[in-house]
Every structure is written in structure tokens, then in C-alpha cells.
Amino acid sequence: MSDTLQQIKDAVITRQRTEIQGLVTRAIEEGIEPKSIIDHGLIAAMDVVGQRFSDSEIFVPEMLVSALTMKLGLESVKPLLKSEESEPKGTIILGTVKGDIHDIGKNIVKMMLEGAGFEVVDLGVNLTVEKLIEQIEAIGPDILGLSALLTTTMPEMKRAIQELQAKGLKEKVKIMVGGAPVSNSFAEEIGADGYGADAGEAVVLARQLIGV
Ligand code: B1M
């Protein structure tokens, strides 16, 4: 790994909020691919942060500042992922399910989908099924994307799909799910149309789901 990527990873782990954007800019100037900055610098750091949290070496406040540092880093990469296309490929409603406030992964998925030419309506975190249904009825998206990072909030995905079914909306929108604890088999079990393991897969899946 390049020195700069290693420094980006270290900066997120050690919560260097004032350093991170300079480091990401330097990586860009060095010609490192945005995807590599995200995967090998920023995301790799969060894996270490999660492990340290599991091992009780750090606690929620430290985890939060690492997350803020990561978000600042992502802001610097974002302009490089913008799509040149004028006609959107399709509309996607995206959100993190009720009870869950993790949004870093969802935000990366959003950036990559926008970069691939989709219009993304981001409904944020802690998304209730009621708001979801209201927005699906109002916007009529091609795809609904749900993210969950907690094993305790994964069942909200199932609940959302059941409610869509009950309201006759399930056949009108393709549903894709993702997030660290989610799997292909879980997606199948709850009746989702697809599962993306990471943001790159989410883009491929979105294209497949609506044939663009
Ligand atoms: Co939390 N947290 N957290 N946390 N947190 C985890 C998830 C945890 C695994 C940490 C651990 O114990 N090792 C653990 C969950 C355990 C479990 O469920 N079994 C955990 C816990 C326990 C908690 C709290 C309960 C802690 C507490 O309060 N005691 C609490 C819950 C709050 C809540 O949501 N109600 C909590 C809080 C927080 C912070 C607020 C401090 C912060 C979140 C800040 C934020 O997001 N704005 C935080 C963080 C940062 C983490 C870790 C360290 C990092 C998550 C992350 O951003 N990863 C995480 C440990 C870990 O994951 N290693 C942890 C990087 C991100 C790019 O990956 O989100 O997986 P990810 O997204 C990927 C893919 O999954 C995929 O693409 C993304 C990009 O490649 N993807 C999709 C995601 N969504 C997708 C949707 C798609 C397709 C693909 O289609 C629609």
C-alpha cells in the first residue's frame, strides 16, 4: 500500500479530523484511484475501528469521531465520482432502516450510484416504514435501497417489504438491500430482489434490476 493510503487509514483510526482532507487531496494528486482511496484507506480504517470497539479498546465517542473523520475524507473524494451523464438512468430511494443511524456505507453507495448516473433520493437514517411508503407513493422510484448495520435492525428490512406487499407496492419497485450483517441468503429469505455486498456491487445490481 502507498504511504499516503496508509496515512489516510491511520488518520481515520486515530481521529485526525484536521489532517484527513489534506491527505485525501494528496492521494488524488498522486493519481491514486478514488475507489482505492475509499476501499483501502477509508473503509479499511473503519474495520480496524470496529475491531477496537469490539475489543473494548475504544468506545462510542471515539468510534463517532473516526466516523466524522471518514465523512470528511469522503467529501474530498465525492467530486471525482460525479456522473457526466445528463439523463438519469433511473431513480433510487435510499435509506438506513428504523432504529439504525449508521450512514457511512449508505452514503458511499449513494455516491457510487450517482456517479453511475442514477438519481438518488436519500431518506437518511432511522427511516420508518410509514415515511418509506409515503415517499415511494410520491416519487415512484425504480428501486428502493435499504441499508442496515445492526443485527437488531435487519428485521426492519423484512417488515418494510411485508408492508410494501400489503400496500400493493412490492411489484412496482425493485428492492435491494445491503450493510455489513446482511447476506444474499437473508435478502432471498425476506423477498428482496437483490443484495449488494459493497458499493460497487450495489451499482452492478441496480443496473441489472432495471436493465440499464
Ligand atoms: Co456502530 N456498530 N454502533 N457506530 N459501528 C458496528 C456496526 C458494530 C459491528 C461494531 C462492533 O461491535 N464491532 C456493532 C454492531 C454489532 C451487531 O449488530 N451485531 C455496532 C454497534 C453495537 C453500535 C451501537 C449499538 C453502539 C452503542 O451505542 N453501544 C450504536 C448503535 C446506534 C444505532 O444505529 N442505533 C452504534 C453507533 C455507532 C456510531 C454512531 C458511533 C458510528 C456510526 C456513525 C455513522 O454511520 N454516521 C458507528 C460506527 C462508525 C461503526 C463501525 C465501526 C463502522 C461502520 C462503518 O461505517 N463501516 C461498525 C464496525 C464495522 O462495520 N466494522 C459499527 C464502513 C462502511 C463503509 O461499511 O456500512 O458496511 P458498511 O457499508 C458497506 C457495505 O456494507 C455496503 O456498501 C458499503 C460500502 O462498501 N452497503 C450496502 C451498505 N449499505 C448498503 C446498501 C446497499 C448495498 C450495499 O443497497 C441498498
Side-chain angles (χ1 to χ4, degrees):
M1 195 191 320
S2 88
D3 280 357
T4 312
L5 276 184
Q6 185 63 51
Q7 285 173 20
I8 288 171
K9 185 175 168 184
D10 292 343
V12 174
I13 295 169
T14 59
R15 307 176 289 283
Q16 305 298 318
R17 275 186 292 174
T18 52
E19 309 293 322
I20 189 71
Q21 292 194 308
L23 288 168
V24 171
T25 304
R26 197 205 301 162
I28 294 166
E29 284 164 4
E30 286 172 7
I32 300 174
E33 288 291 319
K35 190 174 182 313
S36 193
I37 298 173
I38 293 174
D39 287 348
H40 304 301
L42 300 169
I43 293 182
M46 293 316 278
D47 288 340
V48 176
V49 171
Q51 190 56 51
R52 291 191 179 175
F53 177 74
S54 293
D55 296 342
S56 301
E57 286 173 23
I58 59 166
F59 299 93
V60 171
E62 287 92 345
M63 192 156 71
L64 190 54
V65 182
S66 278
L68 292 174
T69 310
M70 163 138 189
K71 282 187 174 185
L72 287 172
L74 282 175
E75 283 302 310
S76 300
V77 187
K78 200 172 171 182
L80 301 182
L81 299 173
K82 277 269 169 249
S83 169
E84 300 291 311
E85 298 184 31
S86 49
E87 277 295 305
K89 288 208 166 77
T91 304
I92 303 181
I93 283 187
L94 200 59
T96 301
V97 295
K98 187 178 165 203
D100 201 325
I101 60 166
H102 294 85
D103 66 354
I104 295 175
K106 168 186 71 64
N107 294 344
I108 294 176
V109 170
K110 177 185 175 190
M111 278 164 47
M112 299 287 271
L113 287 169
E114 286 178 339
F118 289 92
E119 183 178 344
V120 180
V121 179
D122 185 357
L123 298 183
V125 298
N126 193 19
L127 177 59
T128 63
V129 174
E130 293 71 27
K131 180 166 179 195
L132 189 59
I133 286 174
E134 178 196 299
Q135 292 297 308
I136 289 175
E137 284 174 337
I139 296 168
D142 302 292
I143 298 174
L144 164 66
L146 293 175
S147 182
L149 259 286
L150 297 171
T151 45
T152 49
T153 57
M154 283 165 67
E156 281 298 319
M157 291 177 158
K158 182 175 181 181
R159 204 169 84 77
I161 292 174
Q162 284 171 338
E163 283 294 313
L164 289 177
Q165 184 94 56
K167 297 255 188 262
L169 293 168
K170 168 85 169 64
E171 304 313 319
K172 295 187 178 159
V173 62
K174 297 288 181 193
I175 302 166
M176 65 181 199
V177 293
V182 180
S183 64
N184 214 1
S185 57
F186 177 74
E188 277 177 19
E189 183 192 316
I190 63 173
D193 296 294
Y195 157 73
D198 57 30
E201 278 195 17
V203 170
V204 173
L205 178 62
R207 287 190 183 126
Q208 280 170 2
L209 287 176
I210 58 171
V212 291

